[in-house]
Amino acid sequence: MAAASAAFEEAYEYASRHGVAVFRIKALLELGTIDMFETLATGRLEEARRDALTAGALSTAAMVDLQLAATFSCRGQAALTMATAARCEEVSRRFGLASLPMSLALQGVAHGLSGNRAAMEEAAVAARATGSDRDTVEMITLGNGLALYHLGEGQIRNALAALDAAMEVLRAAGGGAHPFPGRWALLRTVVDEEIGRAHV
């Protein structure tokens, strides 16, 4: 992270000095993504979005919205996740962007956080129907959407089943940074300890 941050800081400064707005915004987006992974802060992402809109870089603004929606979902902010992911979906559909499946998957997460299972499942179906980014869509819809829905309903074992399925996809696909493996490890430990105590 430190090396990535230093590289994007350098890119940001270089683009700023030479008046290359789009590359400055892209560097700011990457710096904001690092903030998302490290602290869930959104300041630089929000600045990148404002600058992208000013520059007319709508596809870049959509990517910023995708990262903002992911950050808000990790914070458990359902309304902000929904609004930002829907905004990303609109631009993604208009310009045929690769961000479409994840914008739909994140709307599913927002519905799951809100306890609306029907809408969550509808968004998951729509995300899968794009046929793109299949593994990531599956992990997000299972590990974040369905699992968080079940947790909100107090259904620990159902939440763990969804997380188990998400972990299977992660093991097969590899790579990526996701919030659900830590949740899976915690719930798996709790449930396994309960099973162990029941057999003592």
Side-chain angles (χ1 to χ4, degrees):
M1 283 294 189
S5 183
F8 287 120
E9 288 280 7
E10 185 178 354
Y12 176 82
E13 293 299 332
Y14 185 89
S16 297
R17 283 197 309 273
H18 294 277
V20 189
V22 172
F23 285 99
R24 178 180 57 78
I25 295 163
K26 287 182 177 180
L28 191 57
L29 163 60
E30 299 299 344
L31 289 167
T33 301
I34 291 170
D35 291 340
M36 174 185 74
F37 285 127
E38 292 189 327
T39 65
L40 296 179
T42 60
R44 289 200 278 199
L45 286 173
E46 289 165 354
E47 181 184 349
R49 183 175 189 278
R50 287 192 300 271
D51 290 352
L53 291 175
T54 299
L58 297 184
S59 62
T60 301
M63 289 305 301
V64 176
D65 276 336
L66 194 66
Q67 299 295 52
L68 282 168
T71 305
F72 294 140
S73 74
C74 287
R75 290 178 176 182
Q77 296 173 300
L80 282 172
T81 303
M82 177 59 65
T84 310
R87 204 165 57 202
C88 180
E89 178 196 356
E90 179 187 352
V91 177
S92 299
R93 288 191 186 280
R94 191 189 320 164
F95 296 105
L97 303 179
S99 46
L100 178 61
M102 286 307 303
S103 70
L104 294 165
L106 285 166
Q107 287 178 68
V109 173
H111 287 305
L113 288 168
S114 301
N116 188 338
R117 181 164 188 167
M120 175 191 70
E121 291 176 346
E122 183 179 336
V125 167
R128 291 180 180 116
T130 66
S132 300
D133 215 358
R134 288 188 178 97
D135 291 334
T136 305
V137 164
E138 203 64 19
M139 285 185 278
I140 296 301
T141 55
L142 290 169
N144 294 341
L146 187 58
L148 290 174
Y149 167 80
H150 284 307
L151 282 175
E153 297 294 310
Q155 301 165 349
I156 301 298
R157 291 181 184 274
N158 288 342
L160 183 56
L163 288 164
D164 282 340
M167 288 299 296
E168 285 183 22
V169 178
L170 178 61
R171 290 187 189 103
H178 300 279
F180 67 83
R183 195 178 302 127
W184 168 80
L186 177 60
L187 284 186
R188 174 52 64 195
T189 300
V190 168
V191 169
D192 286 350
E193 285 184 354
E194 287 177 353
I195 292 171
R197 283 196 298 271
H199 287 83
V200 172

